[in-house]
Amino acid sequence: MPEQPRGELVIQTIAMPKDTNPNGDIFGGWLTSQMDLGSAILAAKTAQARVVTVAMEGMSFLQPVRVGDTVRCYARVDRIGRTSMTIPVEVWVTRFMTGEDHRVTHGVFTLVAVDETGKPIPVKRNQPRMDTN
Ligand SMILES: CC(C)(COP(=O)(O)OP(=O)(O)OC[C@H]1O[C@@H](n2cnc3c(N)ncnc32)[C@H](O)[C@@H]1OP(=O)(O)O)[C@@H](O)C(=O)NCCC(=O)NCCS
């Protein structure tokens, strides 16, 4: 059985020429920023609060992303601490023209719920987990 994305679809977009590196493939920083945004969407929904990224770990770039690929970020809440949430994020692409699906990147993001002054606040424990598989 082919590998399937793990988590909730949080971002879907198309890789554009402006996001390429000198090799003509998509710049890793752009991909990382999509993952950061995707993890923040899920963290903010989980905590029902503002969130900031405190750490990103274990980034692996498995395959290049090409212009025209559809890029999808999947995120899931792996752990809720007192104020922090650990959110693994996977990026999958659907190749332009062939329609093949590939997992291209994964990493683990830690986000902290904060108040309006940027001070950490507890994540409400009665929130349901948002991960889907
Ligand atoms: C995130 C921030 C508010 C945390 O403030 P702090 O004074 O370090 O707060 P704490 O020490 O209480 O840590 C808060 C939580 O983050 C966790 N944490 C802190 N540093 C961490 C790290 N490097 N990796 C993983 N978790 C970390 C702590 O374990 C704690 O989790 P818990 O409450 O679930 O136990 C502060 O570091 C900050 O504002 N950082 C900048 C965030 C930012 O601007 N991000 C965008 C990057 S451009």
Side-chain angles (χ1 to χ4, degrees):
M1 178 139 152
E3 191 189 4
Q4 294 294 318
R6 294 217 302 156
E8 175 178 338
L9 179 64
V10 283
I11 285 191
Q12 178 165 240
T13 187
I14 293 178
M16 299 293 280
K18 67 180 172 52
D19 303 313
T20 52
N21 63 24
N23 302 329
D25 292 324
I26 296 300
F27 181 49
W30 178 80
L31 213 47
T32 306
S33 116
Q34 301 302 309
M35 297 168 79
D36 192 20
L37 289 170
S39 67
I41 287 170
L42 182 57
K45 188 164 87 171
T46 303
Q48 295 184 1
R50 290 177 57 190
V51 294
V52 291
T53 307
V54 72
M56 51 180 78
E57 300 171 279
M59 291 292 293
S60 296
F61 297 92
L62 310 170
Q63 292 197 34
V65 177
R66 306 195 182 105
V67 170
D69 288 350
T70 299
V71 176
R72 287 172 280 121
C73 296
Y74 294 87
R76 62 198 162 87
V77 180
D78 189 49
R79 177 183 169 275
I80 298 179
R82 196 180 76 83
T83 65
S84 68
M85 291 153 281
T86 307
I87 300 189
V89 181
E90 297 183 357
V91 181
W92 287 68
V93 297
T94 303
R95 294 290 187 208
F96 182 56
M97 303 299 284
T98 69
E100 285 171 12
D101 288 333
H102 296 284
R103 185 170 67 121
V104 292
T105 305
H106 61 88
V108 179
F109 289 69
T110 304
L111 293 101
V112 175
V114 293
D115 66 15
E116 63 283 354
T117 68
K119 188 168 140 292
I121 55 172
V123 176
K124 295 189 192 90
R125 279 302 189 151
N126 57 357
Q127 295 304 312
R129 283 173 64 105
M130 297 292 172
D131 50 339
T132 53
N133 47 9

mmCIF file of all heavy atoms in Angstrom, residues 24-54:
data_model
loop_
_atom_site.group_PDB
_atom_site.id
_atom_site.type_symbol
_atom_site.label_atom_id
_atom_site.label_comp_id
_atom_site.label_asym_id
_atom_site.label_seq_id
_atom_site.Cartn_x
_atom_site.Cartn_y
_atom_site.Cartn_z
ATOM 1 N N GLY A 24 17.002 26.232 -10.396
ATOM 2 C CA GLY A 24 15.688 26.164 -11.037
ATOM 3 C C GLY A 24 14.680 25.349 -10.253
ATOM 4 O O GLY A 24 13.525 25.235 -10.655
ATOM 5 N N ASP A 25 15.110 24.772 -9.115
ATOM 6 C CA ASP A 25 14.170 24.073 -8.239
ATOM 7 C C ASP A 25 13.688 25.056 -7.161
ATOM 8 O O ASP A 25 14.221 26.155 -7.013
ATOM 9 C CB ASP A 25 14.838 22.860 -7.580
ATOM 10 C CG ASP A 25 15.175 21.770 -8.578
ATOM 11 O OD1 ASP A 25 14.389 21.574 -9.527
ATOM 12 O OD2 ASP A 25 16.241 21.133 -8.418
ATOM 13 N N ILE A 26 12.684 24.604 -6.412
ATOM 14 C CA ILE A 26 12.126 25.505 -5.397
ATOM 15 C C ILE A 26 13.073 25.608 -4.211
ATOM 16 O O ILE A 26 13.629 24.623 -3.732
ATOM 17 C CB ILE A 26 10.717 25.006 -4.974
ATOM 18 C CG1 ILE A 26 9.750 25.083 -6.169
ATOM 19 C CG2 ILE A 26 10.191 25.783 -3.790
ATOM 20 C CD1 ILE A 26 9.541 26.461 -6.772
ATOM 21 N N PHE A 27 13.232 26.841 -3.750
ATOM 22 C CA PHE A 27 14.126 27.212 -2.662
ATOM 23 C C PHE A 27 13.640 26.574 -1.352
ATOM 24 O O PHE A 27 12.458 26.659 -1.012
ATOM 25 C CB PHE A 27 14.078 28.731 -2.601
ATOM 26 C CG PHE A 27 14.925 29.390 -1.579
ATOM 27 C CD1 PHE A 27 16.266 29.080 -1.421
ATOM 28 C CD2 PHE A 27 14.376 30.381 -0.768
ATOM 29 C CE1 PHE A 27 17.036 29.731 -0.479
ATOM 30 C CE2 PHE A 27 15.143 31.033 0.170
ATOM 31 C CZ PHE A 27 16.468 30.706 0.316
ATOM 32 N N GLY A 28 14.566 25.949 -0.611
ATOM 33 C CA GLY A 28 14.192 25.287 0.647
ATOM 34 C C GLY A 28 13.593 26.239 1.662
ATOM 35 O O GLY A 28 12.737 25.842 2.457
ATOM 36 N N GLY A 29 14.032 27.490 1.639
ATOM 37 C CA GLY A 29 13.499 28.480 2.586
ATOM 38 C C GLY A 29 12.022 28.758 2.346
ATOM 39 O O GLY A 29 11.258 28.983 3.295
ATOM 40 N N TRP A 30 11.619 28.730 1.098
ATOM 41 C CA TRP A 30 10.189 28.945 0.794
ATOM 42 C C TRP A 30 9.365 27.789 1.355
ATOM 43 O O TRP A 30 8.323 27.990 1.981
ATOM 44 C CB TRP A 30 9.982 29.052 -0.724
ATOM 45 C CG TRP A 30 8.541 29.225 -1.100
ATOM 46 C CD1 TRP A 30 7.822 30.380 -1.056
ATOM 47 C CD2 TRP A 30 7.631 28.200 -1.526
ATOM 48 N NE1 TRP A 30 6.510 30.136 -1.439
ATOM 49 C CE2 TRP A 30 6.378 28.806 -1.730
ATOM 50 C CE3 TRP A 30 7.760 26.828 -1.756
ATOM 51 C CZ2 TRP A 30 5.255 28.093 -2.156
ATOM 52 C CZ3 TRP A 30 6.647 26.115 -2.176
ATOM 53 C CH2 TRP A 30 5.415 26.748 -2.366
ATOM 54 N N LEU A 31 9.886 26.577 1.148
ATOM 55 C CA LEU A 31 9.172 25.386 1.621
ATOM 56 C C LEU A 31 9.073 25.406 3.154
ATOM 57 O O LEU A 31 8.020 25.121 3.731
ATOM 58 C CB LEU A 31 9.947 24.157 1.150
ATOM 59 C CG LEU A 31 9.184 22.901 0.811
ATOM 60 C CD1 LEU A 31 7.996 23.186 -0.073
ATOM 61 C CD2 LEU A 31 10.130 21.906 0.147
ATOM 62 N N THR A 32 10.184 25.765 3.802
ATOM 63 C CA THR A 32 10.206 25.834 5.266
ATOM 64 C C THR A 32 9.193 26.867 5.764
ATOM 65 O O THR A 32 8.498 26.657 6.764
ATOM 66 C CB THR A 32 11.614 26.196 5.756
ATOM 67 O OG1 THR A 32 12.535 25.260 5.194
ATOM 68 C CG2 THR A 32 11.711 26.152 7.262
ATOM 69 N N SER A 33 9.084 27.977 5.034
ATOM 70 C CA SER A 33 8.139 29.006 5.460
ATOM 71 C C SER A 33 6.694 28.523 5.316
ATOM 72 O O SER A 33 5.840 28.817 6.165
ATOM 73 C CB SER A 33 8.442 30.305 4.721
ATOM 74 O OG SER A 33 7.417 30.693 3.906
ATOM 75 N N GLN A 34 6.405 27.745 4.281
ATOM 76 C CA GLN A 34 5.051 27.176 4.156
ATOM 77 C C GLN A 34 4.761 26.231 5.324
ATOM 78 O O GLN A 34 3.656 26.214 5.875
ATOM 79 C CB GLN A 34 4.909 26.396 2.834
ATOM 80 C CG GLN A 34 5.150 27.210 1.585
ATOM 81 C CD GLN A 34 4.226 28.409 1.487
ATOM 82 O OE1 GLN A 34 3.020 28.286 1.617
ATOM 83 N NE2 GLN A 34 4.797 29.576 1.278
ATOM 84 N N MET A 35 5.775 25.446 5.706
ATOM 85 C CA MET A 35 5.600 24.502 6.820
ATOM 86 C C MET A 35 5.388 25.259 8.136
ATOM 87 O O MET A 35 4.562 24.865 8.972
ATOM 88 C CB MET A 35 6.816 23.585 6.928
ATOM 89 C CG MET A 35 7.002 22.714 5.709
ATOM 90 S SD MET A 35 8.594 21.886 5.674
ATOM 91 C CE MET A 35 8.319 20.519 6.797
ATOM 92 N N ASP A 36 6.129 26.339 8.310
ATOM 93 C CA ASP A 36 5.997 27.164 9.509
ATOM 94 C C ASP A 36 4.573 27.731 9.582
ATOM 95 O O ASP A 36 3.904 27.661 10.626
ATOM 96 C CB ASP A 36 7.053 28.273 9.445
ATOM 97 C CG ASP A 36 7.222 29.017 10.751
ATOM 98 O OD1 ASP A 36 6.827 28.491 11.806
ATOM 99 O OD2 ASP A 36 7.765 30.141 10.710
ATOM 100 N N LEU A 37 4.098 28.262 8.446
ATOM 101 C CA LEU A 37 2.742 28.812 8.404
ATOM 102 C C LEU A 37 1.707 27.714 8.689
ATOM 103 O O LEU A 37 0.752 27.925 9.442
ATOM 104 C CB LEU A 37 2.458 29.416 7.018
ATOM 105 C CG LEU A 37 3.181 30.712 6.675
ATOM 106 C CD1 LEU A 37 2.983 31.040 5.195
ATOM 107 C CD2 LEU A 37 2.657 31.840 7.536
ATOM 108 N N GLY A 38 1.919 26.558 8.079
ATOM 109 C CA GLY A 38 0.959 25.458 8.253
ATOM 110 C C GLY A 38 0.892 24.997 9.698
ATOM 111 O O GLY A 38 -0.196 24.751 10.241
ATOM 112 N N SER A 39 2.058 24.877 10.339
ATOM 113 C CA SER A 39 2.063 24.450 11.746
ATOM 114 C C SER A 39 1.397 25.509 12.619
ATOM 115 O O SER A 39 0.688 25.185 13.577
ATOM 116 C CB SER A 39 3.488 24.160 12.231
ATOM 117 O OG SER A 39 4.258 25.337 12.273
ATOM 118 N N ALA A 40 1.578 26.786 12.264
ATOM 119 C CA ALA A 40 0.966 27.874 13.053
ATOM 120 C C ALA A 40 -0.555 27.863 12.910
ATOM 121 O O ALA A 40 -1.274 28.146 13.882
ATOM 122 C CB ALA A 40 1.538 29.223 12.617
ATOM 123 N N ILE A 41 -1.051 27.524 11.725
ATOM 124 C CA ILE A 41 -2.508 27.448 11.532
ATOM 125 C C ILE A 41 -3.098 26.403 12.475
ATOM 126 O O ILE A 41 -4.077 26.647 13.178
ATOM 127 C CB ILE A 41 -2.830 27.113 10.057
ATOM 128 C CG1 ILE A 41 -2.549 28.332 9.170
ATOM 129 C CG2 ILE A 41 -4.284 26.650 9.902
ATOM 130 C CD1 ILE A 41 -2.595 28.042 7.677
ATOM 131 N N LEU A 42 -2.460 25.235 12.525
ATOM 132 C CA LEU A 42 -2.995 24.157 13.375
ATOM 133 C C LEU A 42 -2.803 24.484 14.861
ATOM 134 O O LEU A 42 -3.699 24.242 15.680
ATOM 135 C CB LEU A 42 -2.319 22.829 13.023
ATOM 136 C CG LEU A 42 -2.820 21.619 13.789
ATOM 137 C CD1 LEU A 42 -4.330 21.433 13.620
ATOM 138 C CD2 LEU A 42 -2.089 20.365 13.347
ATOM 139 N N ALA A 43 -1.647 25.069 15.202
ATOM 140 C CA ALA A 43 -1.386 25.406 16.608
ATOM 141 C C ALA A 43 -2.372 26.459 17.112
ATOM 142 O O ALA A 43 -2.907 26.342 18.221
ATOM 143 C CB ALA A 43 0.052 25.895 16.766
ATOM 144 N N ALA A 44 -2.620 27.487 16.288
ATOM 145 C CA ALA A 44 -3.544 28.559 16.703
ATOM 146 C C ALA A 44 -4.953 28.003 16.862
ATOM 147 O O ALA A 44 -5.684 28.369 17.793
ATOM 148 C CB ALA A 44 -3.523 29.695 15.684
ATOM 149 N N LYS A 45 -5.328 27.084 15.984
ATOM 150 C CA LYS A 45 -6.654 26.475 16.085
ATOM 151 C C LYS A 45 -6.750 25.611 17.341
ATOM 152 O O LYS A 45 -7.763 25.615 18.037
ATOM 153 C CB LYS A 45 -6.911 25.627 14.827
ATOM 154 C CG LYS A 45 -8.319 25.101 14.737
ATOM 155 C CD LYS A 45 -8.649 24.621 13.350
ATOM 156 C CE LYS A 45 -8.265 23.190 13.142
ATOM 157 N NZ LYS A 45 -8.767 22.642 11.875
ATOM 158 N N THR A 46 -5.672 24.905 17.645
ATOM 159 C CA THR A 46 -5.669 24.024 18.811
ATOM 160 C C THR A 46 -5.721 24.828 20.110
ATOM 161 O O THR A 46 -6.496 24.525 21.011
ATOM 162 C CB THR A 46 -4.408 23.143 18.790
ATOM 163 O OG1 THR A 46 -4.386 22.418 17.567
ATOM 164 C CG2 THR A 46 -4.382 22.171 19.960
ATOM 165 N N ALA A 47 -4.870 25.871 20.177
ATOM 166 C CA ALA A 47 -4.766 26.644 21.420
ATOM 167 C C ALA A 47 -5.823 27.737 21.508
ATOM 168 O O ALA A 47 -6.050 28.291 22.579
ATOM 169 C CB ALA A 47 -3.379 27.263 21.514
ATOM 170 N N GLN A 48 -6.407 28.067 20.372
ATOM 171 C CA GLN A 48 -7.317 29.213 20.282
ATOM 172 C C GLN A 48 -6.641 30.456 20.868
ATOM 173 O O GLN A 48 -7.194 31.143 21.735
ATOM 174 C CB GLN A 48 -8.649 28.909 20.941
ATOM 175 C CG GLN A 48 -9.374 27.802 20.184
ATOM 176 C CD GLN A 48 -10.753 27.492 20.713
ATOM 177 O OE1 GLN A 48 -11.228 28.102 21.655
ATOM 178 N NE2 GLN A 48 -11.407 26.528 20.094
ATOM 179 N N ALA A 49 -5.416 30.671 20.400
ATOM 180 C CA ALA A 49 -4.608 31.786 20.888
ATOM 181 C C ALA A 49 -3.577 32.139 19.821
ATOM 182 O O ALA A 49 -3.379 31.387 18.859
ATOM 183 C CB ALA A 49 -3.884 31.371 22.171
ATOM 184 N N ARG A 50 -2.918 33.286 20.023
ATOM 185 C CA ARG A 50 -1.755 33.608 19.175
ATOM 186 C C ARG A 50 -0.669 32.579 19.461
ATOM 187 O O ARG A 50 -0.540 32.101 20.597
ATOM 188 C CB ARG A 50 -1.203 34.992 19.527
ATOM 189 C CG ARG A 50 -2.078 36.129 19.122
ATOM 190 C CD ARG A 50 -1.468 37.445 19.578
ATOM 191 N NE ARG A 50 -0.114 37.634 19.060
ATOM 192 C CZ ARG A 50 0.713 38.607 19.456
ATOM 193 N NH1 ARG A 50 0.327 39.465 20.395
ATOM 194 N NH2 ARG A 50 1.908 38.725 18.932
ATOM 195 N N VAL A 51 0.133 32.291 18.469
ATOM 196 C CA VAL A 51 1.229 31.338 18.674
ATOM 197 C C VAL A 51 2.505 31.880 18.028
ATOM 198 O O VAL A 51 2.440 32.678 17.094
ATOM 199 C CB VAL A 51 0.902 29.945 18.062
ATOM 200 C CG1 VAL A 51 -0.260 29.291 18.788
ATOM 201 C CG2 VAL A 51 0.625 30.036 16.558
ATOM 202 N N VAL A 52 3.643 31.433 18.560
ATOM 203 C CA VAL A 52 4.932 31.729 17.928
ATOM 204 C C VAL A 52 5.715 30.422 17.800
ATOM 205 O O VAL A 52 5.547 29.505 18.611
ATOM 206 C CB VAL A 52 5.775 32.756 18.734
ATOM 207 C CG1 VAL A 52 5.137 34.130 18.693
ATOM 208 C CG2 VAL A 52 6.000 32.302 20.165
ATOM 209 N N THR A 53 6.560 30.380 16.801
ATOM 210 C CA THR A 53 7.426 29.208 16.612
ATOM 211 C C THR A 53 8.651 29.369 17.491
ATOM 212 O O THR A 53 9.338 30.389 17.414
ATOM 213 C CB THR A 53 7.878 29.113 15.137
ATOM 214 O OG1 THR A 53 6.726 29.158 14.303
ATOM 215 C CG2 THR A 53 8.662 27.838 14.885
ATOM 216 N N VAL A 54 8.916 28.353 18.315
ATOM 217 C CA VAL A 54 10.113 28.422 19.173
ATOM 218 C C VAL A 54 11.215 27.505 18.634
ATOM 219 O O VAL A 54 12.402 27.744 18.895
ATOM 220 C CB VAL A 54 9.764 28.120 20.647
ATOM 221 C CG1 VAL A 54 9.445 26.654 20.874
ATOM 222 C CG2 VAL A 54 10.889 28.554 21.572
#
